[in-house]
Amino acid sequence: QLQASGGGLVQAGASLRLSCAASVRTFGIYNMAWFRQAPGKEREFVAGITRNNGITYYADSVKGRFTISRDNAENTVFLLMNKPKPEDTAVYYCAASRTPGLPRTGYDYWGQGTLVTVSS
């Protein structure tokens, strides 16, 4: 089970950190990722982090602004949103996968989502 939190209203240019707590004993075997879905749009990949060595990868739209990280001891993955833009407004979901490599699709487990609204 994945529980996302930390969403809310944030001004453009400020910072916001999302958290996702996993209720599993084997958190370290999963690749973790954040996705988002804006109103009227399809869900899209935002950022991912691998299970073993913590390699990170990002969608072009957030590269250089967002940072994904994980704390395997706390079974938690984070998304630090720096300098968010109004177009980053969406419901953000965390997800877990055992697919090897740098997956952007095929995630097996999903959190319930947390709404981020960026005001201009």
Side-chain angles (χ1 to χ4, degrees):
Q1 183 177 3
L2 302 175
Q3 183 73 34
S5 61
L9 177 64
V10 61
Q11 282 193 321
S15 295
L16 188 69
R17 190 177 79 160
L18 306 181
S19 300
C20 175
S23 301
V24 292
R25 291 183 295 174
T26 54
F27 179 72
I29 70 173
Y30 292 95
N31 292 322
M32 299 298 297
W34 288 94
F35 289 75
R36 68 186 181 187
Q37 186 167 19
K41 296 186 177 181
E42 294 186 353
R43 186 166 58 191
E44 63 176 358
F45 171 83
V46 175
I49 186 166
T50 60
R51 54 191 176 184
N52 291 329
N53 46 18
I55 294 173
T56 59
Y57 50 108
Y58 300 91
D60 288 343
S61 58
V62 306
K63 195 175 297 182
R65 299 188 297 120
F66 292 7
T67 302
I68 187 172
S69 61
R70 65 189 295 164
D71 184 338
N72 286 345
E74 297 295 329
N75 286 6
T76 305
V77 62
F78 304 96
L79 184 69
L80 177 62
M81 303 171 62
N82 285 325
K83 299 180 180 179
K85 305 174 182 179
E87 51 263 44
D88 294 319
T89 294
V91 176
Y92 283 73
Y93 300 88
C94 58
S97 170
R98 297 187 65 178
T99 301
L102 307 177
R104 296 176 183 245
T105 61
Y107 279 76
D108 306 302
Y109 305 100
W110 294 84
Q112 86 289 359
T114 185
L115 176 62
V116 174
T117 303
V118 184
S119 64
S120 58

